[in-house]
Amino acid sequence: MIYEAPSYLSPAIDIAIGLCLVALVWWVRANQDSVFVQALEWKPLEHLGKISYGFYLVHNFIPNPLGKALTLYGGMSVPDSVKITAGAAIGFVISYAVAHMSWKYFESPILRSRRGLTKFFLQYLPENPSQGVPRTELK
């Protein structure tokens, strides 16, 4: 749980959080020249948006890379908070790298070939919508 509140306030807090998110999206839409929007257009963040589906698919399969390694092999006594934070950071980097490779070698080539196949098949569809599916719906 992120916040500690009486259970009868939980729905009101959830609604308030949702309304704040709606207000944030509205504000970003209304203030396209703001520094916040410029930060969202930062290239690494844009790339994360492009590979986000691959990141979503792989991030749960990356275990904490540190695990018990520090204790077993290094004989170190590291606080749990450091292990969790460092493990999450390393796991993020690994997930980002795997998602990037997935985008580069699988998803992007498939999307490029799909465009070519669409153009190829469009030449065989009728121009007249009364004869079938209009070509404009398939682009």
Side-chain angles (χ1 to χ4, degrees):
M1 180 179 280
I2 296 173
Y3 54 85
E4 198 63 43
S7 61
Y8 64 88
L9 285 179
S10 253
I13 292 172
D14 291 343
I15 290 171
I17 290 171
L19 290 173
C20 288
L21 290 172
V22 167
L24 176 66
V25 170
W26 177 82
W27 183 86
V28 166
R29 173 69 179 96
N31 297 296
Q32 289 292 301
D33 296 332
S34 69
V35 174
F36 183 72
V37 173
Q38 290 173 1
L40 290 175
E41 293 171 350
W42 185 42
K43 290 293 181 197
L45 202 53
E46 279 185 9
H47 186 65
L48 181 60
K50 187 188 304 182
I51 66 170
S52 63
Y53 184 68
F55 189 90
Y56 167 74
L57 289 177
V58 302
H59 83 278
N60 279 331
F61 295 107
I62 307 295
N64 185 337
L66 296 177
K68 297 181 180 180
L70 295 175
T71 307
L72 291 175
Y73 303 117
M76 297 186 223
S77 176
V78 180
D80 284 339
S81 61
V82 172
K83 282 193 262 187
I84 291 169
T85 304
I90 294 168
F92 178 86
V93 170
I94 293 170
S95 298
Y96 190 95
V98 171
H100 171 75
M101 299 308 250
S102 170
W103 170 259
K104 185 175 182 178
Y105 295 111
F106 297 111
E107 297 172 48
S108 182
I110 289 170
L111 289 174
R112 280 195 310 268
S113 68
R114 186 191 74 184
R115 281 187 224 117
L117 285 173
T118 302
K119 287 178 185 175
F120 174 76
F121 287 116
L122 278 177
Q123 67 186 346
Y124 295 108
L125 290 176
E127 285 287 341
N128 187 350
S130 64
Q131 295 177 354
V133 178
R135 293 175 68 169
T136 55
E137 290 182 16
L138 298 174
K139 292 182 183 175

